[in-house]
């Protein structure tokens, strides 16, 4: 189903392959089960964009609307027994920038949604049944009933054994591990344990940490990327088949910044095996805005991190001997033990 | 008094995780007898047509109880005096910008409180992509729920407001 997705995306966008990894150790063998991941969109209202003096905005909102409409169409055209699921993996709405001082209420979220109506209608379409993760910039949404279905993590199981092999989290937790190592332990349980759901007290703790991590920044210049994030060498998927391993970052061979959170994420999944008998092989995140696939492997273990990038700020890559700087507009996809990461742009 | 009534009517749900947790207001849609529509298909269109206006006035005179409609039992026979001018305004397209509910003065006399954007309607498949505006009227009797599109108010459902706590 990767081919179907790619073909559908190429009808509406100029598509580049950021990275790909096909490996049976991922443990997600379903050939008719495609999962698509939309990372950090960071929407704010048009009024706030102007008033706040932000020097950047969500990229290509019309294209993203087209992407959601195309994914809905792909779902409708899916053969019986096949599946296409779509996940927004956090920070769809940027309440921190919409309501400075961390005072965001539901009116702030509603204001953002009102301001991007076509995109929101497409993303929330019942044809699509998008699932949403809470990010750090929209964590407050858990207070309101319209966001009851927004979660802090999802598992995706290997359907052949009905065991979770993939976990989706926003990824901000790994910031906290570095910044708040002592406060984080119980929250890690709530985030990774299949047996514990956070109560309102735990959610309040998470919100408090999120607030501390925010630390009063105004985000006028940037959120994560003061400079374009360097993605390496990208390729245009065309007549040639997508290689089973392309632009995959590994310890020892890749620049350290491309391995951000890899060790911490691998350590947490290893702990999940010990504590919860949960054999997770792939973690899907956003948050860093740095699109990449990173792998930690040796003879006895395998772990892959799919960082899906963002739809805000900029990236850079090498192409035809030149450096191209472009707005982040990335999607992740998983099917048949293969993860892919695409960079999109409006068709020229 | 009005403020107290307002606060008692708005259902306050909260993530009770501490004193700094924001209080959250949302409006639940009640049973059929307490709303102007049976299904969303017979929702009142805006601008309000003469037929829509008649239907709405009948509902208001019936005290927001459809059981009273069939045999013409009246609860608020003079309600038109208060709500009539509001219905006149709702019949004019130029008044139907959503901003008139949030920061305008057009409806201030009837809707003095800020709108609530969380409406829980169990008839729907999922929370709406475009969140409606629910405003409690100045008498605390009805929630007026406006359904927008592209920042214009396109449809209206009125429901009887019920106190969250019944006093005994």
């Amino acid at each position: 189903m990767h081919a179907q997705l790619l073909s559908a995306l190429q009808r509406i966008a100029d598509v580049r392959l950021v990275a790909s990894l096909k490996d049976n150790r991922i443990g997600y063998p379903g050939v008719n089960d495609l999962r698509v991941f939309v990372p950090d969109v960071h929407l704010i209202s048009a009024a706030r964009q102007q008033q706040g003096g932000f020097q950047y905005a969500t990229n290509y909102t019309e294209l993203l609307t087209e992407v959601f409409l195309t994914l809905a169409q792909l779902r409708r055209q899916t053969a019986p027994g096949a599946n296409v699921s779509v996940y927004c993996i956090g920070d769809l709405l940027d309440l921190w920038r919409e309501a400075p001082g961390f005072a965001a209420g539901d009116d702030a979220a509603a204001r953002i949604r009102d301001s991007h109506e076509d995109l929101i209608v497409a993303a929330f379409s019942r044809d699509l049944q998008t699932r949403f993760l809470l990010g750090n910039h929209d964590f407050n949404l858990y207070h309101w009933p319209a966001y009851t279905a927004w979660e802090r993590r999802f598992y995706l199981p290997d359907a052949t054994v009905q065991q979770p092999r993939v976990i989706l989290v926003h990824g901000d937790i790994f910031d906290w591990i570095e910044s708040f190592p002592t406060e984080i332990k119980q929250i890690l349980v709530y985030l990774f344990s299949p047996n514990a759901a956070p109560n309102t007290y735990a959610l309040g703790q998470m919100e408090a940490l999120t607030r501390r991590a925010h630390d009063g920044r105004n985000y006028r210049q940037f959120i994560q990327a003061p400079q374009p994030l360097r993605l390496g060498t990208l390729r245009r998927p065309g007549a040639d088949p997508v290689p089973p391993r392309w632009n995959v970052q590994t310890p020892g061979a890749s620049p350290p910044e491309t391995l951000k959170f890899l060790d911490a994420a691998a350590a947490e999944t290893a702990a999940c095996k010990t504590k919860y008998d949960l054999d997770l092989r792939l973690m899907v995140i956003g948050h860093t805005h740095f699109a990449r696939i990173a792998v930690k492997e040796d003879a006895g273990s395998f772990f892959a991190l799919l960082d899906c990038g963002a739809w805000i700020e900029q990236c850079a890559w090498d192409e035809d001997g030149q450096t191209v700087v472009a707005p982040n507009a990335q999607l992740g996809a998983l099917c048949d033990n293969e993860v892919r990461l695409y960079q999109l742009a409006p068709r020229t | 008094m009005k403020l107290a009534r307002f606060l008692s009517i708005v259902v306050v749900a909260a993530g009770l995780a501490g004193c700094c947790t924001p209080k959250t207001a949302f409006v639940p849609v009640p049973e059929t007898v307490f709303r102007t529509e049976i299904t969303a298909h017979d929702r009142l269109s805006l601008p309000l047509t003469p037929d829509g206006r008649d239907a709405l006035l009948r509902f208001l005179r019936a005290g927001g109880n459809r059981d009273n409609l069939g045999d013409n039992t009246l609860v608020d026979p003079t309600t038109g005096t208060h709500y009539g001018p509001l219905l006149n305004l709702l019949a004019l397209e130029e008044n139907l910008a959503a901003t008139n509910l949030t920061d305008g003065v057009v409806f201030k006399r009837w809707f003095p409180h800020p709108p609530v954007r969380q409406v829980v309607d169990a008839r729907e498949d999922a929370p709406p992509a475009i969140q409606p505006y629910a405003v409690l009227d100045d008498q605390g009797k009805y929630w007026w729920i406006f359904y927008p599109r592209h920042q214009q108010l396109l449809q209206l459902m009125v429901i009887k407001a019920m106190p969250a706590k019944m006093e005994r």
Side-chain angles (χ1 to χ4, degrees):
Chain A
M1 297 182 77
H2 273 300
Q4 285 171 264
L5 173 65
L6 178 57
S7 166
L9 292 175
Q10 285 176 320
R11 282 196 287 276
I12 58 165
D14 190 8
V15 182
R16 287 176 173 82
L17 182 71
V18 177
S20 64
L21 173 67
K22 184 164 175 59
D23 194 310
N24 289 343
R25 290 175 293 177
I26 290 174
Y28 199 81
V31 293
N32 292 317
D33 188 356
L34 174 69
R35 311 283 168 147
V36 181
F37 312 111
V38 181
D40 304 46
V41 180
H42 284 274
L43 290 170
I44 60 173
S45 68
R48 178 63 187 153
Q49 178 72 38
Q50 202 166 32
Q51 181 244 339
F54 298 106
Q55 296 181 7
Y56 57 98
T58 297
N59 302 324
Y60 302 144
T61 50
E62 287 181 12
L63 174 60
L64 184 55
T65 305
E66 280 293 306
V67 167
F68 282 120
L69 294 172
T70 299
L71 291 171
Q73 192 177 28
L74 198 60
R75 268 176 65 87
R76 285 193 295 270
Q77 293 169 346
T78 299
N83 174 63
V84 177
S85 296
V86 178
Y87 301 84
C88 281
I89 55 175
D91 287 353
L92 175 67
L93 311 180
D94 194 333
L95 302 181
W96 290 1
R97 291 193 301 138
E98 181 67 26
F102 215 83
D106 173 47
D107 54 335
R111 216 162 43 233
I112 299 169
R113 291 172 64 156
D114 291 344
S115 191
H116 299 278
E117 196 169 301
D118 291 342
L119 173 56
I120 291 295
V121 167
F124 285 70
S125 154
R126 291 305 294 155
D127 283 349
L128 204 53
Q129 293 183 6
T130 308
R131 259 55 59 81
F132 296 91
L133 282 178
L134 295 162
N136 50 329
H137 285 243
D138 54 13
F139 193 81
N140 292 37
L141 295 176
Y142 83 84
H143 288 290
W144 297 299
Y147 302 94
T148 302
W150 292 39
E151 299 286 353
R152 283 145 295 278
R153 52 113 166 93
F154 293 113
Y155 299 110
L156 303 181
D158 172 351
T160 58
V161 291
Q162 284 302 322
Q163 291 294 322
R165 291 286 181 260
V166 182
I167 187 167
L168 282 56
V169 294
H170 178 58
D172 52 322
I173 185 78
F174 299 114
D175 274 343
W176 303 353
I177 286 174
E178 290 174 12
S179 310
F180 314 114
T182 50
E183 296 96 326
I184 200 74
K185 286 182 180 150
Q186 191 60 28
I187 290 173
L188 285 169
V189 172
Y190 287 124
L191 209 59
F192 290 101
S193 165
N195 309 315
N199 56 19
T200 50
Y201 177 74
L203 289 168
Q205 281 185 309
M206 288 189 207
E207 186 179 357
L209 280 187
T210 306
R211 188 183 300 222
R212 281 172 63 187
H214 169 47
D215 198 26
R217 284 178 57 196
N218 65 23
Y219 302 100
R220 206 158 282 148
Q221 314 289 333
F222 69 94
I223 300 172
Q224 293 281 10
Q227 304 294 329
L229 294 156
R230 298 198 66 92
L231 304 184
T233 303
L234 273 54
R235 57 188 287 160
R236 289 174 183 274
D240 296 337
V242 169
R245 201 167 177 122
W246 176 259
N247 203 21
V248 171
Q249 314 300 329
T250 53
S254 303
E257 65 271 19
T258 65
L259 305 173
K260 186 176 184 180
F261 293 166
L262 178 64
D263 281 343
E268 282 313 314
T269 53
C272 283
K273 195 165 187 175
T274 312
K275 290 181 194 166
Y276 315 122
D277 196 23
L278 209 56
D279 187 9
L280 299 171
R281 319 278 182 79
L282 171 68
M283 186 180 293
V284 180
I285 66 169
H287 182 59
T288 70
H289 303 181
F290 193 176
R292 66 218 152 90
I293 296 173
V295 168
K296 192 168 185 176
E297 60 195 327
D298 56 34
S301 68
F302 170 89
F303 172 75
L305 181 69
L306 170 63
D307 188 336
C308 297
W311 285 73
I312 198 159
E313 302 185 320
Q314 291 190 310
C315 58
W317 65 82
D318 302 323
E319 189 172 280
D320 301 330
Q322 293 195 321
T323 298
V324 178
V325 175
N328 279 322
Q330 290 121 10
L331 289 181
L334 166 67
C335 178
D336 188 17
N337 282 324
E338 181 177 6
V339 282
R340 291 185 187 178
L341 201 45
Y342 296 116
Q343 160 72 21
L344 309 184
R347 292 185 72 160
T348 50
Chain B
M1 185 60 194
K2 280 182 184 170
L3 178 63
R5 187 174 173 87
F6 172 69
L7 292 173
S8 73
I9 289 172
V10 171
V11 177
V12 175
L16 298 172
C19 63
C20 298
T21 304
K23 293 281 189 288
T24 304
F26 64 90
V27 179
V29 174
E31 298 87 346
T32 309
V33 290
F34 301 123
R35 53 185 200 243
T36 48
E37 65 186 42
I38 297 173
T39 72
H41 292 297
D42 39 57
R43 191 158 288 165
L44 294 163
S45 292
L46 297 176
L48 213 50
T49 63
D51 284 351
R53 178 194 170 91
D54 285 350
L56 183 45
L57 265 180
R58 279 202 308 276
F59 178 78
L60 298 173
R61 287 191 186 114
N65 182 350
R66 297 174 72 92
D67 284 350
N68 294 332
L69 292 175
D71 58 3
N72 205 24
T73 301
L74 300 180
V75 175
D76 290 323
T78 61
T79 199
T81 311
H82 182 68
Y83 291 113
L86 169 62
L87 304 195
N88 292 343
L89 292 173
L90 291 174
L92 299 173
E93 183 138 25
E94 60 262 35
N95 297 324
L96 297 179
T99 47
N100 282 331
L101 289 177
T102 51
D103 42 38
V105 295
V106 176
F107 301 120
K108 206 72 180 173
R109 177 181 151 197
W110 297 275
F111 306 134
H113 310 296
V116 172
R117 300 298 299 275
Q118 297 281 312
V119 174
V120 176
D121 189 340
R123 298 171 299 166
E124 301 291 341
D125 288 341
I130 305 304
Q131 296 169 288
Y133 294 82
V135 278
L136 186 69
D137 64 37
D138 61 323
Q139 301 196 335
K141 287 183 176 177
Y142 300 100
W143 283 100
W144 298 63
I145 302 176
F146 293 91
Y147 296 84
R149 194 72 213 260
H150 296 300
Q151 288 295 289
Q152 281 291 114
L153 307 176
L154 290 192
Q155 291 183 308
L156 169 66
M157 171 173 65
V158 179
I159 61 175
K160 189 173 174 63
M162 279 167 268
K165 276 186 183 173
M166 304 298 286
E167 290 177 17
R168 294 179 186 275

